Amino acid sequence: MARRRGLRRLAVLLLTLALAAGGIYTAVFFVQRSETLVSERCTAAAGNRTGELAPDQAANAALITAAAVRRGLPARAATIAIATAMQESKLRNIGHGDQAGPDSRGLFQQRPSQGWGTEAEIMDPYYAVNAFYDALVKIPGYEALDITDAAQRVQKSAYPKAYAQHEDMGRAFASGLTGQTPAGVQCTLRSPAAGGTTASVATDLDQAYGGVDSQVDGATLVVDADGALAWSVAQWAVANAKDLAVTQVEVAGRTWHRPDGDGWQASGAPEGQVRITVRQDNGGS
């Protein structure tokens, strides 16, 4: 009899453990499936203008805008450049051209045969962006021109009217990424597949903006900046979060926390600095 009771207790225990294990598996499976179903995207809003880009496109828009900030150009220059690159390459650094320009390359589909530089130079996004701005700033009064006119004078495209369709998107992202619209750019992303480093963030940030003051605090890069520059750097970090494994960005009383997917939220983030936190390979956040 005692043995029978013992067997029944063992059976109940095994069943309980099996149900518990099943629950854990279901929970893990649900989380993994939910992560997989997240539609990764970056959005921008400025006034009544909005735009949406894939994370890799947003990173290139951030690079284009940071170059304008570094050169002291107005947000209008970044708007023109973003709209142009969207039309020419879908904001991707592509290594091929089309029938109109078989030797076209890069973000702006610039052509070595038309004096834009070597193929290797054009395929360097930093070179290509600055080559575009070098040509744009030579156009008198470009800031007041329609995007179609300004872009066409630089690009000399076979389809000059096509640039206008990207104006709202270009303005929304340029306004946020220059810091003119705080909390205007945010990205919805899955958890990082691998860790990153504050050193990588610092290197890319310095290449984009040049001469930024930053210090490392554990898994966080602390950048000294305020005003529009602080918001420009913060939203650059969000736009680059996918590749750099950024999990959190804090600036001027707001925080973007990647796992939440809720955009910029009020927080106690101090003025005068941008805090960019990465997931580290050793399991740190």
Side-chain angles (χ1 to χ4, degrees):
M1 190 66 147
R3 185 180 176 193
R4 220 180 271 133
R5 280 197 301 269
L7 289 173
R8 275 200 295 268
R9 286 175 187 160
L10 180 60
V12 170
L13 177 61
L14 291 174
L15 179 60
T16 301
L17 290 173
L19 289 173
I24 293 170
Y25 171 80
T26 300
V28 171
F29 176 78
F30 177 77
V31 170
Q32 291 175 338
R33 187 169 181 271
S34 298
E35 279 280 294
T36 302
L37 292 175
V38 168
S39 176
E40 295 193 309
R41 65 190 184 281
C42 296
T43 59
N48 62 353
R49 291 184 167 85
T50 61
E52 180 176 316
L53 295 172
D56 65 316
Q57 293 173 310
N60 284 324
L63 181 155
I64 289 169
T65 306
V69 171
R70 182 174 185 170
R71 295 173 64 127
L73 300 178
R76 181 65 173 174
T79 296
I80 295 167
I82 291 171
T84 301
M86 186 63 175
Q87 175 59 32
E88 297 291 353
S89 70
K90 299 299 182 189
L91 271 169
R92 292 185 167 108
N93 193 36
I94 55 178
H96 59 81
D98 54 30
Q99 291 182 346
D103 65 334
S104 300
R105 298 290 185 273
L107 284 171
F108 296 92
Q109 288 291 278
Q110 294 154 332
R111 302 178 63 183
S113 62
Q114 294 185 350
W116 283 101
T118 66
E119 182 174 339
E121 287 174 329
I122 292 169
M123 285 301 296
D124 176 355
Y126 294 92
Y127 174 93
V129 170
N130 282 291
F132 179 88
Y133 285 138
D134 286 345
L136 180 66
V137 298
K138 292 176 183 176
I139 301 169
Y142 75 85
E143 303 99 318
L145 294 176
D146 289 340
I147 279 185
T148 291
D149 293 336
Q152 176 61 8
R153 293 193 192 186
V154 174
Q155 297 294 107
K156 300 176 176 59
S157 169
Y159 306 99
K161 299 298 182 184
Y163 301 109
Q165 64 186 309
H166 307 298
E167 180 167 3
D168 280 358
M169 179 278 297
R171 284 195 176 190
F173 274 94
S175 185
L177 291 168
T178 57
Q180 301 304 306
T181 300
V185 175
Q186 75 99 11
C187 296
T188 301
L189 303 169
R190 292 188 284 273
S191 297
T197 66
T198 52
S200 294
V201 177
T203 297
D204 285 8
L205 186 65
D206 189 65
Q207 189 170 25
Y209 289 90
V212 295
D213 293 324
S214 63
Q215 308 85 39
V216 174
D217 179 11
T220 300
L221 184 73
V222 182
V223 182
D224 295 327
D226 55 19
L229 178 59
W231 274 107
S232 178
V233 169
Q235 294 180 100
W236 172 92
V238 170
N240 283 277
K242 183 174 175 65
D243 284 345
L244 293 176
V246 172
T247 59
Q248 183 166 286
V249 181
E250 302 166 86
V251 59
R254 304 292 286 274
T255 296
W256 174 83
H257 190 226
R258 178 173 179 160
D260 294 342
D262 295 327
W264 292 96
Q265 300 296 313
S267 74
E271 299 279 351
Q273 62 178 219
V274 182
R275 297 180 62 85
I276 305 169
T277 302
V278 301
R279 174 190 167 186
Q280 296 186 314
D281 287 321
N282 62 7
S285 63

